[in-house]
Amino acid sequence: MKYRWSRIAGIVISFVLPLTNLISAAIVVITARRNGGQTAALDVAVSVALLTGLVALSGSGAAGAGALTASLGAALWGGALLSGILLGRYQSVDLAVQALVVLALLGVLVGGVAIPDARAHWQPVLEALIQAAGLPQVSGLPAGWLGTVATLMHGIIGASLLSTLVLAVMLGLWLDRDHNGGEWRRQFLELRLGLVLSLAAGVATVLTFAGFVSVGGGALLVLGTGFATQGLAIVHWTADQRRWPRIWPLVLYGPLLLGAPPAGLVLLVLAIAGLVDNAFTLRRRPANVV
């Protein structure tokens, strides 16, 4: 953290390597929180330039995949920069997560305006990515599956970035705990997205049923990810209050590793719990629970 080029190398390399982009965003969060937005913004600008150059030099992959990679890097680091600045200035985990959810929602809306027909734009890109990755041919997929994914692609990208950024915020706070104490943990356990985002979920539902699936469904994916985070906070708060055995996280996170259907069900339950908690406080001391 003391040397800019070391930070930039860590940001870019951990983004390029598999399964480490979480660390990449966490470095930006720590830098922005500890050293200020100007320093972190320069790190991000140089990192984007280096990533763009690396993608151009590689010269491989499906058409449009290189530009998509550079854009995802810029979006990930931009969100980490924003959350780090807010954490440093306001010391509020709630505000940082709320800002990330709103930013992801704006991304879905901008994507819907820039690319009105998401299915027509994304389906060829997805087919090219599947072929480049050597996965089973598109003809072997369930009928209509790829078209549905393409229609919701703006929301899928937004929800994926949001989940990575929220985890990066928590990882960054944990790694930098010597500079912030344990207050961040208590703030996560009491995380609340607020009623405004609950209303936004209602609007997104109406838009989806009205036929605006790309924007409405995409927004629901983003908001569902945010409320699932609040649902996780509820479970961790309950475990903390009731002193559950340390092995309990296996029961919660185990299904997430078993595949899409169990993971989807768990995330749906968590999102519903988070949404309900916005209206009716679920986190009460044991003595106050009926």
Side-chain angles (χ1 to χ4, degrees), residues 65 77 86 120 123 129 150-152 163 167 184 188 190 196 203 205 207 209 234 241 249 253 282:
W77 297 330
L86 293 175
Q123 187 158 342
L129 288 173
T151 301
L152 296 173
S163 60
L167 290 172
W184 70 271
F188 168 70
E190 298 175 358
V196 172
V203 173
T205 303
L207 287 174
F209 282 105
I234 295 170
Q241 289 292 315
Y253 294 104
L282 299 179

Side-chain angles (χ1 to χ4, degrees), residues 97-113 154-155 157-159 161-162 193 196-205 207 214-227:
V97 176
Q98 288 166 352
L100 290 176
V101 174
V102 172
L103 187 65
L105 282 175
L106 289 175
V108 171
L109 293 177
V110 171
V113 172
H154 297 146
I157 293 173
L161 283 171
L162 176 61
L193 294 187
V196 172
L197 291 178
S198 293
L199 293 175
V203 173
T205 303
L207 287 174
S214 178
V215 174
L220 277 178
L221 286 174
V222 168
L223 289 164
T225 301
F227 284 117

Side-chain angles (χ1 to χ4, degrees), residues 111-186:
V113 172
I115 307 175
D117 192 346
R119 179 168 183 165
H121 176 84
W122 286 111
Q123 187 158 342
V125 176
L126 293 175
E127 291 173 354
L129 288 173
I130 289 173
Q131 293 174 0
L135 298 176
Q137 295 299 314
V138 177
S139 58
L141 296 173
W145 179 85
L146 198 62
T148 301
V149 173
T151 301
L152 296 173
M153 197 62 187
H154 297 146
I156 292 172
I157 293 173
S160 299
L161 283 171
L162 176 61
S163 60
T164 302
L165 282 167
V166 170
L167 290 172
V169 166
M170 300 308 163
L171 178 61
L173 288 171
W174 180 77
L175 290 173
D176 203 31
R177 59 191 179 279
D178 291 340
H179 289 77
N180 57 44
E183 181 62 26
W184 70 271
R185 181 177 181 276
R186 177 53 52 187

Side-chain angles (χ1 to χ4, degrees), residues 49-111:
L50 288 175
L51 178 63
T52 303
L54 287 173
V55 169
L57 288 174
S58 66
S60 59
L68 180 60
T69 300
S71 300
L72 288 176
L76 180 67
W77 297 330
L81 174 65
L82 173 63
S83 58
I85 291 173
L86 293 175
L87 286 169
R89 182 170 299 179
Y90 299 105
Q91 305 295 322
S92 172
V93 174
D94 276 10
L95 181 60
V97 176
Q98 288 166 352
L100 290 176
V101 174
V102 172
L103 187 65
L105 282 175
L106 289 175
V108 171
L109 293 177
V110 171

Side-chain angles (χ1 to χ4, degrees), residues 3-17 20 23-24 27 43 46-47 50 54 77:
Y3 303 102
R4 164 160 281 144
W5 287 108
S6 297
R7 294 196 305 267
I8 291 172
I11 291 169
V12 175
I13 292 172
S14 57
F15 179 82
V16 173
L17 293 176
T20 57
I23 298 173
S24 177
I27 295 173
D43 287 2
V46 176
S47 298
L50 288 175
L54 287 173
W77 297 330

